[in-house]
Amino acid sequence: MKRVRVIKLGGSLLTLPNLREKFHRWCRDHPHSLTLIIVGGGEVVEAVRVVDAANRLPEDFAHWICIDLMQYTARIAHGILGNVEIYETRDELQQILTDSTQNSMAPATAPTIAIVQIATCFQPGFSNLGLPENWDVTSDTLAAAFGILYAAEELVVMKSADPPCYDKLEDLAEVGFVDPCFAEIAEGIGQVRFVNLRAY
């Protein structure tokens, strides 16, 4: 199977005025043959947190509502970034992976950069690597879990800030830079790095 790089594009970056230019510049500076993007929920999902704080929602209900809402932030990112594909179904995603496998001996082609709808990969009753269905799982962990499911060799977490100094990924969870479940899932990926795209 073709090597896969997963980029988690933080939802907070959707308000970055020059997001398109910065994102594509980073991709040009760090080329990869197949980049799959998971877009975070940003302020859209944060609104659910506000509602939940005022009127407590069942945890699993809030979890899946937030994943549903990420479909719309993914489409917003698609509209902003331009010149990237978007895979709305699992079949579309599988097709690019199958084509990549079948064409592994073909001449090199232009890199593929595509947004993937995370809701097509994580649904109630479908395998989610045993992740809890509560606020301990954010889009950071969902992106890491997606990387595990599709054997990503690298996970790039793009945020609006630099990570604090850390020795282990668990340290980042303790200060709230990532969610409590991230380290356990992300350690199964060969390389994890963080990018402050606002400062790029």
Side-chain angles (χ1 to χ4, degrees), residues 66-145:
C66 290
I67 290 178
D68 284 344
L69 289 172
M70 287 169 62
Q71 297 181 77
Y72 299 99
T73 55
R75 290 170 190 155
I76 291 169
H78 182 243
I80 293 171
L81 295 179
N83 198 32
V84 300
E85 300 179 52
I86 184 167
Y87 301 139
E88 297 273 5
T89 68
R90 199 175 303 140
D91 287 342
E92 290 176 329
L93 173 60
Q94 196 58 48
Q95 184 64 48
I96 187 64
L97 296 173
T98 301
D99 288 349
S100 297
T101 301
Q102 292 176 344
N103 296 331
S104 60
M105 301 303 293
T109 57
T112 297
I113 303 175
I115 294 170
V116 177
Q117 289 286 17
I118 195 69
T120 68
C121 303
F122 294 93
Q123 300 172 354
F126 184 70
S127 173
N128 66 350
L129 300 184
L131 297 175
E133 299 176 5
N134 58 37
W135 289 111
D136 283 348
V137 171
T138 69
S139 52
D140 289 342
T141 288
L142 291 174

Side-chain angles (χ1 to χ4, degrees), residues 7-27:
I7 290 180
K8 158 46 196 327
L9 183 67
S12 65
L13 292 169
L14 296 178
T15 61
L16 180 61
N18 52 350
L19 172 58
R20 177 174 180 166
E21 292 77 10
K22 288 198 171 192
F23 178 83
H24 286 295
R25 186 194 319 149
W26 188 93
C27 288

